Amino acid sequence: MSVVGDDPVGPSAWAVERFGRRAGRLAAAIPAQLASAHARAHEVHLAARLKKRSPYGATLAEAVRENFADMARELGEDVRDVRGYEYAVINDHALFPFKYADRPRPLDRARLAADASPTRRRMLLGHGPQAQDALFPLDEDLTTEDYEDLHRTFDELGAATRLVCVFFTADPESGIHAIHWGQARLEPDRTFTWLYSEQLPVAPQPLG
C-alpha cells in the first residue's frame, strides 16, 4: 500500500521552500503516517492490558519514525541512521517527530522532557535554527564521551541538514488530536520558540 498521498489544497510557501515539489505530498502523507503509527501503538497498548506504564508512547514514537522513513524511501529521498534510529531526510530537511502531550494542548505549551535523550537535544540544538556558536554549549554535566556522542550525531544526520519539527498530541483511546509542523528553537528552559508553524489536518484513524 502506498504511504504517500496528495494534498488537494496545495502546500504553503514555507513547505515548498523547504521540500520543493515534494511539499504537497508530504503535507498529505504525514497525517496518514501518524494515524497508521497510532493504530500500531494502539494494538500494542490493548495487548499489554496495563493501566499504567503502557507501551503505547514508546511504540508510537518508533512507529512514527519507521513510517516517516518508509515515506522518504517511497519518495526516493534519504533515510539517515542517527544513533540507531532512522530519520527521514527530504531535500536536506530531517523530519523530527515529537509527541509533546497525551491530551489536547496548545503548541506553545510544548516542552522537552527533563530526561530527554542527549541525541534529541543534540538534533534540536545542532540542526535547528540556532546560532553556530550554540551548537556545542559547555555543560559541566556532560562527560567527554557525551560530547563525542553529540558530535557523532551531528555527523550522522549531516552538517547541512536542518530540522523540520513535526509536533503532535495523542493518547491511546482518542488517537492523534493535533499535528503541527514548522521550525522551532529549543530554549534553555526546554520550551520552544516557533519561528514558523502551521497546523496539518488529522487523518481518520481506526480504533480497535
Side-chain angles (χ1 to χ4, degrees):
M1 181 179 69
S2 174
V3 298
V4 178
D6 293 304
D7 182 0
V9 177
S12 66
W14 172 87
V16 171
E17 182 179 348
R18 278 144 191 84
F19 300 115
R21 62 190 179 88
R22 307 293 196 195
R25 299 179 74 185
L26 280 174
I30 284 173
Q33 296 315 307
L34 288 172
S36 172
H38 161 71
R40 293 168 61 187
H42 185 250
E43 289 180 1
V44 173
H45 167 74
L46 292 178
R49 302 177 65 183
L50 296 174
K51 293 183 178 180
K52 295 183 178 180
R53 300 188 182 278
S54 166
Y56 173 80
T59 305
L60 179 64
E62 183 61 26
V64 170
R65 280 191 295 265
E66 288 183 359
N67 284 7
F68 282 7
D70 289 344
M71 177 180 66
R73 291 188 181 97
E74 184 171 328
L75 288 169
E77 298 288 344
D78 292 337
V79 174
R80 298 190 187 147
D81 187 289
V82 179
R83 317 306 292 154
Y85 296 102
E86 290 188 331
Y87 286 88
V89 179
I90 296 95
N91 197 31
D92 289 328
H93 286 80
L95 298 180
F96 183 85
F98 176 54
K99 181 174 77 71
Y100 68 91
D102 57 8
R103 61 183 183 276
R105 176 174 289 187
L107 183 61
D108 60 11
R109 298 283 301 280
R111 188 182 183 95
L112 192 67
D115 60 352
S117 71
T119 297
R120 280 196 163 192
R121 292 175 181 268
R122 181 66 193 90
M123 291 178 70
L124 287 163
L125 291 173
H127 299 274
Q130 313 293 129
Q132 288 298 311
D133 59 3
L135 293 184
F136 295 96
L138 294 177
D139 187 334
E140 62 183 9
D141 293 330
L142 290 181
T143 65
T144 300
E145 183 178 355
D146 290 330
Y147 275 112
E148 290 176 351
D149 284 343
L150 295 183
H151 280 275
R152 280 195 290 270
T153 300
F154 188 69
D155 292 337
E156 287 169 347
L157 196 56
T161 303
R162 312 312 299 168
L163 284 194
V164 167
C165 293
V166 181
F167 280 31
F168 59 97
T169 62
D171 73 76
E173 302 307 326
S174 300
I176 309 296
H177 313 130
I179 309 166
H180 306 265
W181 70 344
Q183 289 177 287
R185 181 175 64 240
L186 177 64
E187 302 294 354
D189 64 356
R190 296 182 284 108
T191 60
F192 294 89
T193 296
W194 288 86
L195 282 67
Y196 179 87
S197 69
E198 61 184 58
Q199 191 163 357
L200 297 177
V202 174
Q205 43 204 336
L207 295 178

